[in-house]
Amino acid sequence: MDAAYKTGPRNLITDVTGLRVGNAQDDRIKTGSSVLVADAPFTASVHVMGGAPGTKETDLLAPDKTVQQVDALVLSGGSAYGLDACSGVMDGLRAMGRGFALGPLRIPIVPGAIIFDLINGGAKDWDENPYRALGRAALDAAGKDFALGTAGAGTGALAAMQKGGLGSASLILPDGTTLGALVAVNALGSVTTPGGQHFWAAPFEIGAEFGGLGPDPRGGLVRPEPSLKEQAMQMQAMAGTNTTIAIVATDAPLTKVQCHRLAVTAHDGMARAIVPSHTPLDGDLVFGVATGSDGSVDATAFRDIAAAGAICLSRAIARAVYAATPAAGDILPCYRQG
């Protein structure tokens, strides 16, 4: 990495001015939710490249739709059940007086996306959907510092060869623009090269943020290993049971169209860090977010911002798996147990 580029002080998405993240999880169920919220509504868009997404309110984020800003974004476990985490976040924001004003009413705009973590060794015998409460708890916990790995939306996540998790990373450009990524890694593909030691994202590592082993020195790594995730779940890969969902954010004053392109480019970072990615059996999705409101960003500056966003996402994916910790009932080992 060019010496002119550096991580933010936390190496988290919350290095982007105004952003906060909250996590909540239920260790018995092995699931959780994460929320990204800001001091004020922020510009957002989205791009989906996986074949099996699970989402709420993402149509609003298309560049041609009239809604320009949102109040929060939610990443959650729970498959379709997990979309109810957005309702809990809406409840909390409404209580704060936040939301789109329509006469005397306030309607918080809270898009979200989910991963499938229903077959991961946790109890799934609830009588009442737990995700609304998890969403509200995650919002209440939102702050600048938050846990990675087996936390929030990454609590029950699994990648092909080891536990997945929640990851984040940041990057400051030479002109001071800050980028950050937040991701829940529950991929069909592997984040590590065959043998499970080296991360695909290793060329982008800064310092030893995910172990410092460097790139795999071998070539010809074109054949993936049999997925331990499929074996542990006792099924062949099925549509909807895998997904990597992410947010890439910047403090630059991007338009909604530029936020969409930021999300599109960030998928390059996902493809560099997970092999394979964007399969028909994944719901891979990236939200693009901008908190800046003063000025504009020209094409040359935006090129550098978008490229940095992709690098942040690659690093955040590796950090998610590196930070995962073991828990009772796990069906896959953690990276650092290997």
Side-chain angles (χ1 to χ4, degrees):
M1 175 64 63
D2 190 312
Y5 288 74
K6 59 183 180 181
T7 72
R10 294 178 177 84
N11 200 15
L12 300 172
I13 195 171
T14 48
D15 288 325
V16 175
T17 302
L19 292 183
R20 293 174 283 124
V21 170
N23 290 331
Q25 58 267 348
D26 186 315
D27 294 325
R28 177 177 174 273
I29 300 175
K30 287 186 182 291
T31 194
S33 301
S34 299
V35 60
L36 178 83
V37 66
D39 298 336
F42 51 88
T43 307
S45 190
V46 68
H47 187 63
V48 181
M49 288 191 68
T55 61
K56 182 176 182 180
E57 299 278 34
T58 50
D59 283 354
L60 290 173
L61 303 183
D64 63 326
K65 300 302 185 288
T66 56
V67 171
Q68 295 296 306
Q69 295 187 313
V70 304
D71 295 290
L73 293 172
V74 174
L75 307 180
S76 184
S79 189
Y81 296 104
L83 293 174
D84 207 31
C86 298
S87 300
V89 175
M90 289 183 70
D91 290 344
L93 289 169
R94 183 175 183 272
M96 298 174 191
R98 295 280 300 269
F100 182 71
L102 285 173
L105 301 177
R106 288 276 178 177
I107 304 175
I109 307 299
V110 184
I114 49 86
I115 63 172
F116 180 95
D117 59 359
L118 299 181
I119 305 176
N120 62 4
K124 304 298 187 294
D125 55 353
W126 63 73
D127 292 322
E128 181 178 341
N129 189 328
Y131 289 95
R132 189 175 192 130
L134 285 169
R136 180 66 179 266
L139 177 66
D140 291 343
K144 289 291 188 181
D145 295 303
F146 59 95
L148 301 184
T150 306
T155 299
L158 304 171
M161 308 308 292
Q162 59 274 111
K163 285 182 71 171
L166 186 75
S168 191
S170 67
L171 194 63
I172 301 177
L173 276 60
D175 67 358
T177 299
T178 301
L179 277 294
L182 179 72
V183 62
V185 181
N186 189 63
L188 173 70
S190 179
V191 298
T192 52
T193 61
Q197 183 178 14
H198 296 272
F199 286 98
W200 289 109
F204 308 106
E205 185 175 16
I206 299 177
E209 60 187 342
F210 42 89
L213 293 180
D216 195 321
R218 299 171 296 170
L221 303 175
V222 296
R223 183 177 180 179
E225 297 176 286
S227 171
L228 296 181
K229 180 178 181 178
E230 289 183 25
Q231 296 172 27
M233 294 172 67
Q234 299 182 336
M235 63 175 68
Q236 294 298 309
M238 295 174 61
T241 62
N242 312 279
T243 292
T244 299
I245 50 177
I247 303 167
V248 174
T250 180
D251 58 3
L254 303 187
T255 65
K256 190 178 182 184
V257 170
Q258 288 174 320
C259 282
H260 178 255
R261 181 51 55 179
L262 177 66
V264 171
T265 307
H267 278 283
D268 294 346
M270 191 180 296
R272 295 168 187 155
I274 302 170
V275 179
S277 59
H278 306 132
T279 77
L281 308 175
D282 285 278
D284 295 343
L285 168 154
V286 179
F287 294 103
V289 164
T291 62
S293 58
D294 295 328
S296 60
V297 174
D298 64 25
T300 299
F302 178 72
R303 173 199 64 194
D304 295 338
I305 290 169
I311 290 170
C312 271
L313 183 51
S314 290
R315 293 167 46 229
I317 288 167
R319 294 190 81 201
V321 172
Y322 182 74
T325 52
D330 283 350
I331 63 174
L332 285 183
C334 297
Y335 171 81
R336 285 183 286 180
Q337 290 178 299

